[in-house]
Amino acid sequence: GFADLRDRASHPTGILGGQPRSVFAKMSLAEDGPGLFAAELDGLETGSVLLSEAVSERFSHARTEEDWRSIGSTLAHLHDVHDERFGLDLFDGYFGPFFQDNRPLGSGSWADFYAERRILPRLESALHSGHLPSEVATATERLVDRLAAVCGPDPAPSLLHGDAQQNNFMNTDHGVLVIDAAPYFGHPELDLALIDSIDRVPQSVFDAYSEIRPIDPGFAERRELWRVASYLATVEAERGSPFGRRSLRRLIDALRSYR
């Protein structure tokens, strides 16, 4: 049998059911599909990502309080791994279907890295897609010019999931599994901003995280700032769908709040 999971991913995906086990499969029709999946394999350091044993998980509507807390604590433990520079020397990655340049910058500044490696590539691509109004692109460029003033102090570069929306954490009877990672070393608040960027999560996720790593009080003011690159990616990827239009509205609101 086959369970289609296309609505939960940016690629055609599903579970092929059978005995003695079921397997999860993901396909890319892009020309750079082999590179995309090779980067994902590198990121998870395992040879069983694209065709792997399917596990029984509790979906978001069935998660217990402890399930939500375990997502927060797992994310905090990831962020306790540090490097000297923002980015990743070992390999580049992908955010959904989009190439992600992980090369560190000479300045060593998080604001510079976030602008050059995350916002500006997505801005150019979204604008060329025809789904980003020119005035929104101009407002995004103005934000980039002000990033150093609104990003806050540079943290120690932390290991990020990179695409930490809640469906990329699987709650199983054996603990939390992290999937679809796009890892690099960056600002930990970026993962915290993405965890509830699509669907809300209970406060217990952040409470459990805070028991391991403190969350800066200024995070609430910067939350939408860390979502700008993902909004741009969604505007391009969804190409005028209701979800894409919602992301465009949220992008516009975010840009207005940082004028």
Side-chain angles (χ1 to χ4, degrees), residues 46-256:
T46 172
S48 57
V49 175
L50 305 183
L51 188 63
S52 59
E53 183 175 357
V55 298
S56 178
E57 67 166 314
R58 288 182 291 280
F59 296 126
S60 58
H61 68 274
R63 282 172 173 150
T64 65
E65 184 74 5
E66 187 54 38
D67 286 336
W68 289 112
R69 287 183 55 82
S70 66
I71 291 175
S73 59
T74 296
L75 196 58
H77 286 304
L78 277 179
H79 293 169
D80 271 341
V81 180
H82 298 288
D83 195 35
E84 296 179 354
R85 299 191 295 173
F86 297 110
L88 188 64
D89 283 315
L90 294 176
F91 53 84
D92 294 318
Y94 284 79
F95 184 81
F98 301 118
F99 176 77
Q100 187 162 266
D101 188 345
N102 287 336
R103 291 175 299 164
L105 293 173
S107 70
S109 159
W110 167 249
D112 289 346
F113 183 89
Y114 186 50
E116 296 293 331
R117 298 289 190 245
R118 296 298 176 257
I119 293 182
L120 289 177
R122 295 277 56 82
L123 172 61
E124 180 180 4
S125 188
L127 187 58
H128 288 168
S129 75
H131 293 278
L132 184 72
S134 59
E135 62 271 20
V136 180
T138 300
T140 305
E141 291 171 343
R142 286 198 295 265
L143 173 63
V144 168
D145 291 338
R146 299 186 58 248
L147 272 182
V150 297
C151 273
D154 278 357
S158 290
L159 179 61
L160 303 188
H161 179 289
D163 189 7
Q165 54 96 3
Q166 61 164 286
N167 286 332
N168 285 339
F169 294 85
M170 296 175 62
N171 292 106
T172 77
D173 291 338
H174 304 288
V176 177
L177 297 180
V178 176
I179 63 171
D180 285 355
Y184 62 96
F185 290 90
H187 200 310
E189 289 181 358
L190 191 139
D191 274 351
L192 288 171
L194 292 184
I195 196 73
D196 63 346
S197 62
I198 298 177
D199 297 305
R200 293 180 62 85
V201 301
Q203 180 60 34
S204 54
V205 173
F206 301 99
D207 292 341
Y209 182 98
S210 299
E211 291 171 9
I212 299 170
R213 290 178 52 89
I215 298 177
D216 190 287
F219 166 62
E221 298 177 1
R222 295 186 290 267
R223 189 187 227 113
E224 285 297 307
L225 180 65
W226 308 135
R227 294 173 175 174
V228 167
S230 65
Y231 288 154
L232 289 166
T234 304
V235 168
E236 178 183 1
E238 293 296 323
R239 297 186 175 275
S241 72
F243 185 43
R245 292 194 298 272
R246 186 184 77 164
S247 293
L248 178 59
R249 290 193 298 271
R250 294 180 69 179
L251 172 62
I252 292 171
D253 289 342
L255 294 172
R256 286 173 177 165

Side-chain angles (χ1 to χ4, degrees), residues 31-43:
E31 291 183 5
D32 58 350
L36 189 156
F37 287 151
E40 185 170 331
L41 286 167
D42 287 339

